[in-house]
Amino acid sequence: ALGSLAASKAKEVESKWSGTSTSGGTTKNFVNGAFVDSKADRWIDVPDPVTQTVLSKVPETSEAEFNQAVKNAEEAFPAWAATSILGRQQIMFRLQALLRDHMDDIANSIVLEQGKTFADAKGDVLRGLQVAEVACGITSTMLDQRIEVSKDMDTHTRRQPLGVTAAICPFNFPAMIPLWTLPMATVTGNTLILKPSERVPGASMIIAELAQRAGLPKGVFNVVNGSFDTVNRICDHPAIKAISFVGSDKAGSHIYHRGTANGKRVQSNMGAKNHAVIMPDANKNLALNSIAGAAFGAAGQRCMALSVAVLVGEAQSMLPDLIERAKALKVGSGFDEGADLGPLISPQAREKVIRLTKSVEEQGGKILLDGTGYQSQDYPNGNFVGPSIVEVKKGMDAYEQEIFGPTLNVIRADTLDEAIEIINSNRYGNGTAIFTTNGSTARAFETRVNVGQIGVNAAIPVPLPFFSWSGSKASVLGQSPSFYGQHALSFFTTTKTITSLWRADDATDTKASVAMPT
Ligand code: NAD
């Protein structure tokens, strides 16, 4: 059974939100403005990561149900695309207000299904809400270009929506990542089919109800649950014009190749190995607290987690204090007062973290802090591990693979050049950070490091949504514009460039010119 606090939160979530289940029932789909029970013949359990109690079952939506959802989204498209930009903006105003009002309910659902702490879950919702807030500025951000080319001739651009679009989401940000897509895809005039992670459907179902209350017309936003089969249907359906994917390398590569082979736009954000460089002149408390927070927060299950600390020169003397910071963190249920990190998403994820952490010693590295044996007295079945710190070298499994758990790699370097070399030779390019009190050092790092998102004395430098996501190298596939901000406007629209000649006087020439117009 669930812990008593979790049980009361579960009851509250289920009784208030139509599409959800937290008592072993079934999660619905949200199609054409209604919450519908799937007739799927395959169902996937959603277990509580703290107790393994089954909270819900998610349907592997059948092909017929999926096709019907796409048909509804196709039918809803013309009227929605023709709705004035002010009309779409009004709905976005209401959606952002509703998301803010119901932030705690969404956060409770996240803690129940995903396991992160309540404070962290609220951050998850807030970072998504901010995308909806920025989408409200669509009347300024969608302004197009126009120029008077010559006497009587103007050229202007028009950005028009694509049609039916789709989003495929990971488990680690159950609210933020669906909200990277929903506001931007719909405010630009598209309709959207969203597939949440089958491990955390609840937040998306609550968001669907809020979108409905905000006045998004039926068929504009749809949530279709499932796993691999549903993903493949999204990749193959000819009416779906674009796919926004966030998740692992394996799924991202599959979806990118299958979707683009079918002529779709695909944006794929994938795995990461984010390095933090600590220079000897760093402000020690700022650096150590930031790194411990970003390595172990959310039990290391963030794509922008700092999973490698590169200690340069005398900064290596900070290592014992870094270990103390890690030891001071409390493991527990996300609802526990004072818990810093919750469980991993699944027993398999826990086994992977333990295996990669232990492999360090077998491969010649050192385990400086071993959290793999952590046992919870209160929740013996939880997917818990404690914080670990391991000293590694390039080539070791724990360094080369994304651990996606609370195990921090440590690498020693003699100089900033060596630290930059280590980072630039890593295949991923999601995020990195430097801790220093020297502006020149920071500037050199920012110029030379080949990573898309850089923090200077700031961990987890996820761009706020008036910028766009800018992960690079193997953390993304393809050259598509990225997520949210201006990039999302490009991703979700197609540009037409119109050149018009409106003469103020009548044409008097009688001979056609056959030369290329210039
Ligand atoms: P995942 O790839 O297992 O799942 C993501 C989605 O893809 C889910 O909806 C799932 O149903 C589907 N999927 C998974 N495997 C599939 C397959 N073989 N065929 C078809 N569909 C498949 O990822 P996850 O475990 O939910 O999320 C964690 C991963 O996401 C980590 O690698 C993390 O770095 C990454 N992530 C990246 C970013 C980013 O912006 N770069 C952000 C968050 C998470």
Side-chain angles (χ1 to χ4, degrees):
L2 298 173
S4 58
L5 186 55
S8 74
K9 301 284 182 195
K11 214 165 156 192
E12 205 179 309
V13 168
E14 180 159 354
S15 63
K16 279 165 77 175
W17 301 97
S18 317
T20 60
S21 157
T22 51
S23 60
T26 56
T27 298
K28 296 185 197 306
N29 285 334
F30 180 69
V31 176
N32 213 26
F35 289 95
V36 290
D37 288 308
S38 171
K39 297 190 174 58
D41 50 22
R42 204 162 77 72
W43 292 81
I44 305 153
D45 285 349
V46 180
D48 167 19
V50 173
T51 61
Q52 312 304 336
T53 307
V54 175
L55 299 166
S56 182
K57 288 183 197 307
V58 165
E60 184 73 78
T61 299
S62 72
E63 186 157 14
E65 290 169 331
F66 178 80
N67 289 343
Q68 184 58 45
V70 178
K71 189 161 179 282
N72 296 140
E74 252 186 303
E75 286 166 0
F77 174 65
W80 178 240
T83 301
S84 76
I85 199 154
L86 292 167
R88 287 188 245 135
Q89 182 193 37
Q90 284 302 319
I91 293 173
M92 232 13 86
F93 282 137
R94 291 197 289 271
L95 179 61
Q96 65 80 25
L98 286 163
L99 286 165
R100 190 171 284 284
D101 287 351
H102 298 287
M103 200 184 268
D104 283 8
D105 284 351
I106 304 174
N108 279 330
S109 164
I110 293 174
V111 180
L112 282 166
E113 293 178 349
Q114 202 273 355
K116 63 178 74 173
T117 64
F118 183 70
D120 197 28
K122 281 186 80 158
D124 185 331
V125 186
L126 185 63
R127 289 307 293 253
L129 163 62
Q130 287 167 338
V131 179
E133 288 172 343
V134 170
C136 293
I138 190 70
T139 42
S140 305
T141 51
M142 273 285 269
L143 288 175
D144 275 322
Q145 296 174 315
R146 181 173 202 115
I147 192 166
E148 187 177 325
V149 178
S150 65
K151 179 171 172 293
D152 302 329
M153 181 175 279
D154 297 315
T155 298
H156 73 279
T157 54
R158 287 178 67 164
R159 277 183 289 185
Q160 296 192 312
L162 306 174
V164 185
T165 61
I168 301 169
C169 305
F171 81 84
N172 65 332
F173 282 99
M176 178 182 83
I177 290 178
L179 287 168
W180 277 5
T181 308
L182 161 60
M184 302 310 288
T186 58
V187 83
T188 46
N190 300 283
T191 59
L192 177 67
I193 304 273
L194 183 133
K195 192 202 85 63
S197 164
E198 61 275 28
R199 303 184 230 184
V200 292
S204 290
M205 300 316 295
I206 298 176
I207 292 168
E209 189 157 341
L210 296 177
Q212 185 187 41
R213 287 190 206 167
L216 266 185
K218 64 181 190 175
V220 172
F221 177 57
N222 308 275
V223 182
V224 172
N225 285 292
S227 63
F228 301 1
D229 291 350
T230 306
V231 166
N232 288 336
R233 287 180 187 124
I234 290 173
C235 294
D236 294 345
H237 199 298
I240 293 177
K241 303 297 178 212
I243 306 173
S244 193
F245 169 81
V246 182
S248 66
D249 293 355
K250 193 172 166 207
S253 170
H254 168 73
I255 292 164
Y256 180 81
H257 290 107
R258 192 157 170 162
T260 53
N262 283 322
K264 302 181 198 313
R265 282 185 190 185
V266 183
Q267 49 178 204
S268 226
N269 263 7
M270 301 172 297
K273 199 85 187 177
N274 307 310
H275 297 63
V277 175
I278 313 179
M279 296 303 290
D281 64 4
N283 178 308
K284 188 172 163 182
N285 282 332
L286 175 70
L288 296 185
N289 291 341
S290 302
I291 291 173
F296 305 118
Q301 299 174 111
R302 293 184 186 130
C303 61
M304 287 289 276
L306 286 175
S307 47
V308 187
V310 185
L311 306 179
V312 177
E314 282 168 21
Q316 291 163 24
S317 66
M318 297 185 202
L319 194 49
D321 286 324
L322 181 59
I323 294 170
E324 289 312 310
R325 294 288 197 289
K327 274 188 190 163
L329 297 174
K330 280 216 179 85
V331 182
S333 153
F335 287 120
D336 286 351
E337 208 49 51
D340 294 302
L341 47 156
L344 294 165
I345 190 67
S346 63
Q348 295 78 2
R350 179 172 175 271
E351 278 155 29
K352 181 181 171 193
V353 172
I354 295 173
R355 174 174 54 76
L356 284 171
T357 307
K358 297 263 184 226
S359 75
V360 170
E361 224 145 52
E362 293 149 23
Q363 296 179 15
K366 272 192 225 142
I367 301 181
L368 304 172
L369 174 68
D370 189 351
T372 58
Y374 176 84
Q375 261 302 328
S376 167
Q377 301 303 312
D378 298 330
Y379 313 106
N381 298 324
N383 308 321
F384 295 106
V385 286
S388 294
I389 299 184
V390 294
E391 191 169 340
V392 297
K393 291 213 160 43
K394 281 207 260 184
M396 292 182 184
D397 289 347
Y399 177 72
E400 299 300 335
Q401 296 182 33
E402 183 184 39
I403 300 177
F404 224 55
T407 296
L408 174 67
N409 289 191
V410 169
I411 295 191
R412 293 172 197 262
D414 291 331
T415 60
L416 176 66
D417 285 353
E418 194 186 334
I420 293 175
E421 206 304 295
I422 292 167
I423 299 171
N424 286 352
S425 63
N426 191 280
R427 68 182 191 286
Y428 290 117
N430 222 31
T432 187
I434 187 165
F435 291 87
T436 178
T437 47
N438 183 319
S440 306
T441 305
R443 180 110 188 138
F445 182 76
E446 171 185 332
T447 305
R448 289 168 45 207
V449 79
N450 187 10
V451 172
Q453 306 180 105
I454 303 168
V456 174
N457 296 319
I460 320 191
V462 174
L464 284 164
F466 20 91
F467 290 90
S468 297
W469 186 266
S470 55
S472 62
K473 291 158 68 182
S475 297
V476 297
L477 251 179
Q479 295 301 315
S480 309
S482 189
F483 294 72
Y484 58 81
Q486 283 293 333
H487 285 219
L489 296 182
S490 302
F491 185 76
F492 286 115
T493 59
T494 182
T495 300
K496 287 180 178 168
T497 309
I498 299 110
T499 297
S500 20
L501 177 77
W502 288 106
R503 290 180 63 140
D505 52 356
D506 284 339
T508 51
D509 297 351
T510 53
K511 175 153 176 37
S513 169
V514 292
M516 177 70 185
T518 54

